[in-house]
Amino acid sequence: MAKVAFLLASNFEDSEMKNPYEAIKEAGHQAVIIGLEKGAECKGKKGTVSYTAEIGAKDAKADEFDAVVIPGGSSPEALRVNDDIVRFVKEANEQGKLIAGICHGPQVMISADILKGKAATCYIGIRDDVKLAGADYRDEEVVVSENIITSRTPKDEPAFIREILAKLN
């Protein structure tokens, strides 16, 4: 069983959190929500789901997790400016852990400077940022590049979830 960190702040894209989170739990893995502060309520931008952060960013330790998932929406913008979130993602990458981001999720990867030399995709609005971070941008539903998995939008969730589960099993 893998222990998977979900990095979350409010205004995430509802389905990009809910669907991978539920699929990972259904597959028998442990899913833990890491937020900016422990106990913080994180609400989806569409208002269909909300979650409570189980661990605050300052207490998150990459060596306690097997994988990291970063849902999209506006949540990554709030996460990427938090030094503890960025440290966590950098450490997870240094340890070779799986790091998956969908839509705007790669913004956190950009801030952690882990995309250089990797292939990646994302929401088209941050395509140039992904390229400038040194990634080989690809307009595909899911891109797997070593330990990094990226997807573009909610319609890509089935492929995103499939690739995460394939790496976890």
Side-chain angles (χ1 to χ4, degrees):
M1 174 183 81
K3 187 173 178 184
V4 182
F6 278 80
L7 304 185
L8 208 60
S10 280
N11 295 314
F12 58 88
E13 180 62 49
D14 299 40
S15 66
E16 292 174 355
M17 170 60 189
K18 181 178 185 280
N19 295 335
Y21 182 78
E22 290 180 359
I24 284 167
K25 285 176 41 170
E26 284 169 18
H29 303 292
Q30 183 181 1
V32 178
I33 299 168
I34 297 175
L36 298 175
E37 298 287 335
K38 181 179 179 172
E41 186 179 3
C42 304
K43 296 180 180 177
K45 70 179 192 176
K46 294 196 167 99
T48 64
V49 287
S50 70
Y51 298 89
T52 301
E54 298 163 85
I55 298 175
K58 70 179 180 342
D59 298 317
K61 294 176 179 55
D63 60 4
E64 295 177 358
F65 292 89
D66 301 297
V68 179
V69 177
I70 312 166
S74 301
S75 170
E77 191 68 42
L79 294 170
R80 74 184 302 191
V81 297
N82 181 285
D83 292 341
D84 291 310
I85 290 285
V86 171
R87 170 197 48 80
F88 178 81
V89 172
K90 274 185 192 227
E91 289 172 1
N93 186 63
E94 288 163 5
Q95 295 167 17
K97 308 285 174 76
L98 166 64
I99 303 172
I102 186 167
C103 191
H104 285 80
Q107 286 180 311
V108 180
M109 298 177 188
I110 293 167
S111 295
D113 195 26
I114 64 168
L115 289 179
K116 203 169 275 114
K118 303 279 175 83
T121 194
C122 59
Y123 176 71
I124 195 162
I126 63 166
R127 174 189 61 198
D128 294 343
D129 304 299
V130 165
K131 288 179 181 177
L132 289 169
D136 170 18
Y137 172 79
R138 298 184 184 167
D139 185 15
E140 298 169 10
E141 67 176 0
V142 65
V143 175
V144 180
S145 185
E146 297 172 33
N147 65 315
I148 306 286
I149 298 174
T150 50
S151 283
R152 302 170 298 190
T153 65
K155 72 176 174 30
D156 299 331
E157 287 168 25
F160 183 65
I161 292 166
R162 179 188 72 231
E163 294 301 331
I164 291 170
L165 291 175
K167 287 266 193 193
L168 293 178
N169 294 329

